[in-house]
Amino acid sequence: MLASYFPVLVFILIGLIAGAAFILLGTVLGPKRHYHEKDTPFECGFEAFENARMKFDVRYYLVAILFILFDLEVAFMFPWAVVFKELGAFGFWSMLVFIAVLTVGFVYEWKKGALEWE
């Protein structure tokens, strides 16, 4: 029974070796130009600051959450596309309603200015 898992083990080992080789090659062959802007910490869409209690703009988080929301909704279209022929008319109209709801949500966020970065 364990012999049937041998190809999976080989696949994992090849993936780990390839990943380690690519990281090592990038480290050895990659450019090593350091400058102040590159070496400074940068997180969450804005410069790092000293006090963690300072107020900061939450637009970055809003855009990130909206991206994740719309990205996950679009991800539902891939399984639908795979079984499109088996679903028939019901599956087509269901996805059309889903896309319409997605579009209405996107237009709403666009009109509210949630996607603007000023």
Side-chain angles (χ1 to χ4, degrees), residues 34-104:
H34 293 279
Y35 47 91
H36 179 68
E37 288 84 10
K38 184 177 177 181
D39 293 334
T40 57
F42 182 81
E43 296 179 4
C44 303
F46 50 85
E47 292 284 337
F49 43 82
E50 299 85 30
N51 188 359
R53 307 277 189 260
M54 290 176 61
K55 290 184 179 181
F56 60 91
D57 197 1
V58 297
R59 284 182 292 186
Y60 174 80
Y61 298 108
L62 179 64
V63 170
I65 288 171
L66 289 174
F67 172 76
I68 291 171
L69 176 74
F70 288 115
D71 189 48
L72 287 176
E73 288 177 349
V74 170
F76 283 116
M77 293 181 193
F78 289 109
W80 170 78
V82 170
V83 293
F84 176 71
K85 288 186 180 178
E86 289 89 24
L87 294 177
F90 176 74
F92 173 75
W93 291 109
S94 298
M95 185 52 74
L96 199 63
V97 169
F98 178 75
I99 292 171
V101 170
L102 179 65
T103 304
V104 167

Side-chain angles (χ1 to χ4, degrees), residues 98-115:
F98 178 75
I99 292 171
V101 170
L102 179 65
T103 304
V104 167
F106 179 71
V107 169
Y108 174 77
E109 294 298 330
W110 191 356
K111 294 291 183 185
K112 292 293 275 185
L115 302 174

